[in-house]
Amino acid sequence: MKVLKFKTNINCNGCIASVTPFLNNVESIDAWKVDINNMDKILEVESDNGNVEDVTSAVIEAGYEIVEIG
C-alpha cells in the first residue's frame, strides 16, 4: 500500500464533510484523512495504485486546492 501526501486548504470539519463524497467516490483510494491541525492541512491517502491525478481531481472538483508533497 502506498501513502500519498498533499498540502491542501481543507481547514475545518465542514470542509472535510464537503470533500468526503468526492474522495469516497475515487475507487483507487482505500483510506484517507486530513490533519486540519497541521499548518499545511495535510491530506494523507492510502492507495494500492497511488493515482495522484484521481485524488487531485476529486479535491479540485470539491472546490479545494491541493498540491502533492510526496
Side-chain angles (χ1 to χ4, degrees), residues 42-70:
I42 302 299
L43 166 64
E44 288 187 11
V45 175
E46 294 179 16
S47 174
D48 284 331
N49 69 4
N51 193 331
V52 172
E53 292 80 22
D54 288 347
V55 176
T56 55
S57 293
V59 172
I60 291 168
E61 186 178 346
Y64 296 94
E65 297 173 6
I66 183 169
V67 176
E68 184 182 15
I69 56 174

Side-chain angles (χ1 to χ4, degrees), residues 17-61:
S18 295
V19 78
T20 293
F22 293 91
L23 288 172
N24 286 350
N25 283 334
V26 178
E27 291 183 18
S28 62
I29 294 177
D30 295 316
W32 63 272
K33 65 181 178 181
V34 180
D35 183 356
I36 58 175
N37 295 316
N38 184 300
M39 185 176 79
D40 291 329
K41 313 304 180 203
I42 302 299
L43 166 64
E44 288 187 11
V45 175
E46 294 179 16
S47 174
D48 284 331
N49 69 4
N51 193 331
V52 172
E53 292 80 22
D54 288 347
V55 176
T56 55
S57 293
V59 172
I60 291 168
E61 186 178 346

